Amino acid sequence: VPDLPAPSEMTALAEEMYTNRWYTNFGPINARFEEAMSEFLENGGSTATEVGTFSSATTGLELILRAMDLPAGGKVLVPALTFPATALAVMNAGLEPVLGDVNSESWDLSAETALAVHAETPLVAVMPVSAFGRPVETSQWQAFQNDTGVPVLLDAAAALGQQNVPQDLTAVFSLHATKPFGVGEGGLVVSGDGDLLKRAKSLSNFGFLGPAGVVQAVGTNAKFGEYYASVGLAQVDRWQEVQNRRQRVLDQYLDKLGSLNNQVTIQAGVGDHIPAVFPIFAEGKGEAIHKALADAGVQTRFWYLPLLNNHPALRHLKVVGPDALKVSEHLATGLVGLPFHAFLSESDIDTVCTVVSEAI
Ligand SMILES: Cc1ncc(COP(=O)(O)O)c(C=O)c1O
């Protein structure tokens, strides 16, 4: 359930846009939003503070990969447990996603797995994912990038406000309406590499660079625009309130699920941060929990399921790594996303937890 600015919080920006007669193409409100996000990230501990807006995280990922100028058809490691856009961006950039397993506690790809894969199957890039909005531990990826020379692009789509980005990495965040930092549609690329970001931004504007209207590289139209930038600027001002509302819901869930300790697992580290969505794992019980909650009138989501290689259009993707998809396949038997948004009451959360408890 989106938590976005009310119309009254947007009025001044809408007036400004109308007066400016400037609606897209890197306008003044977009520039202010980028500046505000650079500061936002810096305040959160990021040292990569070059920021660029895109029409979505998916186009941001694709255009950064294109701007990296990787060898066509090269293999890019992605986790099998992720939102499909991670792999789609790789394919749309003319590269081949290969699927690796995730860690059994953090439910994300590890640099250890990437190293094992790279030794067998040379990679041109790796895309770790901030799974379900859980921040990735970046030092392992800085070391991997340093040691192998293979660039790391972090798909942090769901983790804006949670994920730090160090100077030597590039990350892409989503501003989709359902994300904690929702705007509507949009992507935010954060990098320490200003030239890389400049090339990707040029690709988002048809590949124009230098003299207006002259194509220097084969781009597309993936710009963000002033409407969304206005929502984004208003969202910066209400971020702390958004966080507070989500923290309250998370605390209530953790409290009530505590009694199911042996039967329900949550992603390691949840509580130290506020995730974007709230999947729980109960071995072999995902469908049963989903059904019991549906019968009680409560919606669930099978976030990141099916695994990428079980989507009809992605079945051909190669699985790599020493243990195939052992952990991911195990998680797939029991992951189910509970309702997780700012407008749940304590009694809603009580109901959900009671039904989950009965179902297991
Ligand atoms: C891990 C991951 N990558 C990419 C995306 C795509 O983001 P967008 O909708 O902004 O293209 C999402 C969206 O949910 C996501 O969760």
Side-chain angles (χ1 to χ4, degrees), residues 29 51 59 113 118 176 207 262 275 298 315:
I29 299 178
V51 164
T59 55
T113 298
H118 186 54
H176 188 264
N262 300 328
V298 178
R315 242 173 224 142

Side-chain angles (χ1 to χ4, degrees), residues 285-320:
K285 302 263 172 62
E287 285 288 347
I289 294 171
H290 161 77
K291 181 166 185 326
L293 283 166
D295 290 347
V298 178
Q299 286 185 20
T300 53
R301 291 278 193 277
F302 291 108
W303 300 118
Y304 296 175
L305 296 177
L307 299 177
L308 288 188
N309 54 327
N310 290 332
H311 289 267
L314 305 177
R315 242 173 224 142
H316 62 289
L317 298 184
K318 211 180 279 168
V319 171
V320 290

Side-chain angles (χ1 to χ4, degrees), residues 56-59 61 82-83 85-86 129-130 155 157-158 173-176 179 185-187 304:
S56 67
T58 308
T59 55
L61 288 165
T82 182
F83 187 74
T86 314
V129 173
S130 308
D155 177 352
F173 298 100
S174 172
L175 302 169
H176 188 264
K179 295 289 181 281
E185 289 279 9
Y304 296 175

Side-chain angles (χ1 to χ4, degrees), residues 93-119:
L95 301 161
E96 179 189 345
V98 292
L99 312 182
D101 206 2
V102 295
N103 178 286
S104 61
E105 289 177 5
S106 53
W107 303 351
D108 61 6
L109 191 70
S110 70
E112 196 185 334
T113 298
L115 274 175
V117 170
H118 186 54

Side-chain angles (χ1 to χ4, degrees), residues 168-316:
D168 46 354
L169 294 183
T170 297
V172 181
F173 298 100
S174 172
L175 302 169
H176 188 264
T178 56
K179 295 289 181 281
F181 197 115
V183 161
E185 289 279 9
L188 195 74
V189 174
V190 180
S191 183
D193 185 341
D195 287 338
L196 177 71
L197 185 56
K198 192 170 160 198
R199 290 197 297 279
K201 280 177 93 161
S202 153
L203 291 172
S204 79
N205 191 29
F206 311 102
F208 295 157
L209 198 61
V214 178
V215 173
Q216 305 286 356
V218 179
T220 184
N221 182 359
K223 298 187 294 289
F224 184 57
E226 296 288 272
Y227 283 98
Y228 284 137
S230 302
V231 186
L233 265 183
Q235 197 65 315
V236 174
D237 289 340
R238 57 200 296 285
W239 175 244
Q240 195 53 53
E241 289 167 42
V242 172
Q243 282 274 83
N244 293 348
R245 285 191 278 272
R246 299 177 67 80
Q247 181 76 59
R248 189 229 356 124
V249 171
L250 178 63
D251 289 346
Q252 286 172 4
Y253 262 123
L254 295 181
D255 182 40
K256 290 180 204 305
L257 288 174
S259 58
L260 302 176
N261 244 347
N262 300 328
Q263 299 158 83
V264 167
T265 309
I266 60 170
Q267 191 183 17
V270 167
D272 300 337
H273 70 277
I274 312 171
V277 291
F278 191 59
I280 57 168
F281 173 72
E283 188 178 354
K285 302 263 172 62
E287 285 288 347
I289 294 171
H290 161 77
K291 181 166 185 326
L293 283 166
D295 290 347
V298 178
Q299 286 185 20
T300 53
R301 291 278 193 277
F302 291 108
W303 300 118
Y304 296 175
L305 296 177
L307 299 177
L308 288 188
N309 54 327
N310 290 332
H311 289 267
L314 305 177
R315 242 173 224 142
H316 62 289

Side-chain angles (χ1 to χ4, degrees), residues 110-195:
S110 70
E112 196 185 334
T113 298
L115 274 175
V117 170
H118 186 54
E120 297 279 316
T121 309
L123 300 168
V124 299
V126 179
M127 280 170 60
V129 173
S130 308
F132 310 113
R134 177 196 198 276
V136 157
E137 197 244 299
T138 49
S139 58
Q140 60 175 326
W141 292 111
Q142 293 172 279
F144 173 88
Q145 190 174 255
N146 260 337
D147 295 349
T148 61
V150 174
V152 171
L153 172 60
L154 178 55
D155 177 352
L160 185 54
Q162 309 293 332
Q163 178 72 61
N164 289 341
V165 188
Q167 171 72 17
D168 46 354
L169 294 183
T170 297
V172 181
F173 298 100
S174 172
L175 302 169
H176 188 264
T178 56
K179 295 289 181 281
F181 197 115
V183 161
E185 289 279 9
L188 195 74
V189 174
V190 180
S191 183
D193 185 341
D195 287 338

